[in-house]
Amino acid sequence: MDILTVALPALGDAFLTVIQPQHMMYMIAGVLLGLSIGVLPGLGGIAGLSLVLPFMFGMDPISGLALMVGLIAVIPTSDTFSSVLLGIPGSSASQATVLDGFPLARKGQAARALSAAFVSSLYGGILGAMVLTMIIFVARPLILAFGLPEMLMITILGMSMVAILAGRIPLKGVVAAGLGILVGTIGTAPAGGSLRMATYDFPYLVDGLQLVIIGLGIYAIPEVVSLLRQDTSISKSGQLGAGWSQGLRDWWANRWLSTKCAGIGVIVGVIPGLGGSVVDWIAYGYAVQSTKDRDQFGQGDIRGVIAPESSNNAKEGGGLVPTLIFGIPGSGSMAVFLGGLALLGMSPGPAMIRQDLDITYTIVWSLALANVVGAGLCVLLSGQIARLTTIRFTLLAPFLFMMIAFAAFQSRMSFGDLIALVFVGVIGILLRRFDYSRPAFLIGFVLSTQAEQFVNMATQIGAARFRRSFEAGIDYLVSPITVSLLILTVLSIVIGIRQSKNIRENITTYTGTKRAPMLFLGAITVYVAIATIDAATVTRFGDKVFPLTVGIVTLLGCLALMARMILRPETDDVFIDMETGGDDGEAPHSLWGTLAWFFGLLVLTGLFGFIIALALFFVGFFRLRAGLSWAMALVFASVGLGFILFFADLLNRDFPPGLLQSYFDLPWPFT
């Protein structure tokens, strides 16, 4: 009865509000801003919403809503550009898109991949908005059904995707995932605050490493360095290949896969705290497990683009469910969105659903329309932006170095961000070189903190229930949802291990001597052993049990892998070294010589500050490495500096200072 007497009139009133010119104007402004933010690697919804928050105070509530919803709706769409074109995750929600999107761009099919991604995003976003519309009255019992054990099982299900992405040798995937989890535990423990692999003598590590640093280091730097060594365009053929119409046909051929993955996105988005950190991996894993011909996944399969892109936009609609109904943020961007609602004088929760249902549905309609406008603009722009793949990469690389460094610095506004970025970048290069699964490392890192939190809280509450009675403890831990998720996890691991050999980052492999792969594995083993010993020395049990358990398992994996290396000949896949052949081995420029340019930018920044260092880096790179004339080098350098100054001024951001700034009081942007 409520649906007829309350919901439908409110839905109609909200629609009339949304189509008002003022509302549409602010929504389109949010979409355009979201497009601008999303295209840049390393920035995402949190950065975009943080940019508009200062303008929320005193703004008309409906206009403010339109601006924010337009922005958050389109970022999961526009961040696909960097994931496909550059092999750099635009945000945490587009990590899985890199696996097949970037290989398609290398084959000259960037426009096809982008078009399929944007249509999938549009479909997922609209489906998410529709589900949000229908679920508002029935979502309360659904959300309350997910307690800590259920959320822990969802996290473990996300981690089980490691089995699918382990590569040719599952043991390498286990080691990479374990290493990622251990890196994620660096700093203070979430429960008791004990320090792990950190000391107050180096304050930077106390708060751990940020996702933007890990994402850019593991993916951005290795791919930029690899492409720069070739001195060619991103597209090996130098052609655009199939256009947006082919991408549309690809989506239509896989529309049921897109529908199912959008459903996954909505369900995962509804659960508070998970959001974009896991949904794309679950959708990608489902796409692999549900298809028979899976040999091309990881090498440029369009289904590997459609699946995660359908889910990551749909999860925004799901994420609004707990945000609007309970005032519980479903993700980091939803947390900032709540802050914006507070500045507009709104208080999300049951009272808002009961008393201001028209405003709630205004958000829903805005989400749907923003997805249509954003995806439409992206489809129209895909062909033109895809032309970047035909440009000589040496001319693009300096600007990417600039954006990567700038995005990394925004995580904590510390020079340590740049040092950590380069260090993690070297790890990413070595993981790629020796065929360790970088997605497995990234999944481990992303899910480590919340897995530990859920483990600690679930065990504490479970222990209290068991002290009361055995039945009470079992009832808490074993529910129909946890059992179902456990079965899905086991199936995911079994099927994933069987199919992991078909999903590989490097199509053709080359093996060399035993020395380099064994040295790298030895370095990993030493770190894992030190991290395990460090965890064992932590006095508080709740702070050490998680890293200690992960460390022991990872250490056993390292030792088993080392035993295989000792027993097998040099031709075994365990000794894969991409520097011994193929594009990397035959590249005209050396690995470390190319990486030295990034090291040079870091050193110059430490001495003179980022802007002065960037000016010297630009001119030197374009003149010496790209071979441009002095005049053209200065023109390119001016364009790069002008863009970053405009962008930093727009975001009200500072740049990394150097030693020079400690001796001289310089004005912005030299501070």
Side-chain angles (χ1 to χ4, degrees):
M1 195 65 181
D2 282 343
I3 295 178
L4 294 177
T5 60
V6 179
L8 290 181
L11 196 61
D13 292 341
F15 179 75
L16 294 176
T17 301
V18 166
I19 60 175
Q20 295 297 317
Q22 181 180 357
H23 184 94
M24 292 294 293
M25 180 185 69
Y26 277 99
M27 187 192 70
I28 293 173
V31 167
L32 293 175
L33 182 59
L35 280 173
S36 304
I37 297 291
V39 166
L40 301 174
L43 300 175
I46 295 177
L49 285 172
S50 300
L51 172 63
V52 300
L53 278 186
F55 304 100
M56 289 296 105
F57 187 76
M59 182 180 285
D60 174 64
I62 301 300
S63 300
L65 276 178
L67 183 65
M68 289 196 297
V69 174
L71 190 147
I72 63 175
V74 78
I75 282 181
T77 304
S78 58
D79 63 11
T80 307
F81 280 116
S82 62
S83 297
V84 171
L85 300 183
L86 307 174
I88 303 171
S91 69
S92 63
S94 63
Q95 295 163 355
T97 306
V98 173
L99 299 183
D100 286 284
F102 188 56
L104 282 167
R106 298 299 307 274
K107 294 177 181 178
Q109 301 181 42
R112 174 194 178 195
L114 289 173
S115 177
F118 296 143
V119 175
S120 301
S121 295
L122 169 61
Y123 182 70
I126 293 177
L127 189 64
M130 291 173 59
V131 172
L132 176 61
T133 302
M134 296 181 292
I135 207 174
I136 281 179
F137 282 100
V138 298
R140 183 183 179 89
L142 175 65
I143 296 176
L144 294 179
F146 276 81
L148 288 173
E150 288 79 12
M151 295 173 71
L152 174 60
M153 285 308 305
I154 281 281
T155 304
I156 294 174
L157 177 61
M159 285 187 171
S160 72
M161 295 301 111
V162 169
I164 300 171
L165 303 169
R168 289 174 176 81
I169 302 175
L171 208 51
K172 279 189 173 182
V174 172
V175 170
L179 182 63
I181 295 173
L182 288 176
V183 171
T185 63
I186 292 175
T188 54
S194 303
L195 288 181
R196 282 106 48 114
M197 293 298 289
T199 170
Y200 288 114
D201 294 332
F202 299 96
Y204 183 84
L205 291 178
V206 171
D207 292 328
L209 297 174
Q210 301 296 306
L211 177 59
V212 65
I213 300 289
I214 298 296
L216 292 173
I218 292 297
Y219 273 105
I221 292 180
E223 297 304 336
V224 170
V225 169
S226 177
L227 290 168
L228 188 55
R229 293 177 62 193
Q230 312 300 325
D231 205 11
T232 60
S233 60
I234 294 173
S235 170
K236 293 182 179 180
S237 64
Q239 303 295 322
L240 280 173
W244 67 268
S245 60
Q246 179 59 48
L248 179 59
R249 289 193 293 271
D250 288 326
W251 175 82
W252 180 252
N254 295 282
R255 58 191 181 279
W256 295 118
L257 173 65
S258 180
T259 301
K260 294 171 186 175
C261 291
I264 292 173
V266 171
I267 293 171
V268 175
V270 165
I271 303 169
L274 293 179
S277 62
V278 68
V279 64
D280 55 332
W281 294 117
I282 294 179
Y284 186 87
Y286 173 78
V288 175
Q289 293 172 347
S290 62
T291 55
K292 296 180 180 179
D293 53 330
R294 48 178 71 93
D295 292 348
Q296 293 302 309
F297 277 98
Q299 304 174 27
D301 194 312
I302 197 66
R303 293 170 297 182
V305 174
I306 291 172
E309 289 300 316
S310 299
S311 67
N312 65 24
N313 259 50
K315 74 102 172 47
E316 294 299 331
L320 279 170
V321 172
T323 304
L324 296 178
I325 295 178
F326 297 109
I328 301 172
S331 63
S333 59
M334 287 296 115
V336 184
F337 181 69
L338 277 178
L341 291 179
L343 290 175
L344 293 173
M346 300 180 185
S347 300
M352 182 175 174
I353 302 298
R354 289 193 299 266
Q355 301 170 13
D356 298 307
L357 190 58
D358 55 335
I359 294 179
T360 305
Y361 278 135
T362 298
I363 297 175
V364 176
W365 278 114
S366 300
L367 182 67
L369 289 177
N371 271 288
V372 173
V373 174
L377 287 173
C378 286
V379 170
L380 291 175
L381 295 172
S382 61
Q384 298 303 316
I385 295 181
R387 295 184 183 277
L388 289 173
T389 62
T390 65
I391 299 174
R392 182 186 170 203
F393 191 74
T394 308
L395 301 179
L396 299 176
F399 302 116
L400 290 176
F401 277 140
M402 172 186 73
M403 288 309 306
I404 289 169
F406 179 75
F409 180 69
Q410 302 314 308
S411 65
R412 289 192 196 158
M413 308 292 286
S414 166
F415 184 71
D417 293 326
L418 301 186
I419 297 175
L421 174 67
V422 173
F423 182 76
V424 175
V426 172
I427 295 176
I429 288 172
L430 294 175
L431 289 174
R432 180 181 181 274
R433 172 178 173 177
F434 297 113
D435 202 41
Y436 286 80
S437 174
R438 289 184 292 168
F441 179 96
L442 198 57
I443 289 176
F445 177 84
V446 167
L447 298 181
S448 62
T449 300
Q450 65 190 50
E452 181 175 9
Q453 290 174 336
F454 293 154
V455 166
N456 285 335
M457 290 187 289
T459 52
Q460 288 176 9
I461 298 175
R465 297 286 182 92
F466 274 111
R467 283 194 295 269
R468 188 188 309 166
S469 71
F470 180 80
E471 290 77 11
I474 290 296
D475 288 341
Y476 176 71
L477 295 178
V478 181
S479 67
I481 296 177
T482 56
V483 172
S484 301
L485 291 173
L486 178 61
I487 294 173
L488 287 175
T489 301
V490 173
L491 290 174
S492 174
I493 293 173
V494 172
I495 297 174
I497 291 176
R498 289 180 178 177
Q499 303 301 330
S500 61
K501 294 182 180 179
N502 298 322
I503 307 169
R504 47 195 185 271
E505 195 170 2
N506 302 306
I507 302 173
T508 306
T509 59
Y510 304 88
T511 56
T513 63
K514 289 187 175 185
R515 181 179 179 184
M518 290 187 75
L519 283 175
F520 180 60
L521 178 59
I524 293 177
T525 305
V526 169
Y527 175 81
V528 171
I530 293 174
T532 305
I533 295 171
D534 177 79
T537 61
V538 174
T539 55
R540 191 178 186 276
F541 179 78
D543 290 348
K544 75 177 182 179
V545 61
F546 183 78
L548 183 60
T549 303
V550 173
I552 292 173
V553 173
T554 308
L555 189 58
L556 291 174
C558 290
L559 295 176
L561 204 54
M562 185 66 73
R564 176 168 174 169
M565 286 185 170
I566 294 172
L567 297 174
R568 297 293 181 91
E570 293 178 352
T571 55
D572 191 86
D573 279 348
V574 76
F575 295 110
I576 289 174
D577 185 351
M578 301 307 295
E579 288 296 310
T580 59
D583 291 341
D584 289 347
E586 299 168 3
H589 300 279
S590 69
L591 170 63
W592 301 109
T594 303
L595 190 60
W597 283 101
F598 205 98
F599 278 114
L601 178 60
L602 176 67
V603 171
L604 289 174
T605 300
L607 293 175
F608 305 113
F610 188 66
I611 289 299
I612 297 175
L614 194 60
L616 297 173
F617 168 77
F618 272 151
V619 174
F621 188 95
F622 285 123
R623 181 71 183 96
L624 302 176
R625 186 69 162 74
L628 301 181
S629 64
W630 281 108
M632 289 303 298
L634 290 172
V635 169
F636 275 65
S638 300
V639 170
L641 288 171
F643 172 79
I644 198 65
L645 289 174
F646 169 78
F647 191 68
D649 182 65
L650 183 67
L651 291 175
N652 193 26
R653 297 285 197 243
D654 291 326
F655 296 103
L659 288 176
L660 182 66
Q661 282 72 18
S662 62
Y663 292 102
F664 299 96
D665 185 16
L666 300 176
W668 190 91
F670 302 105
T671 51

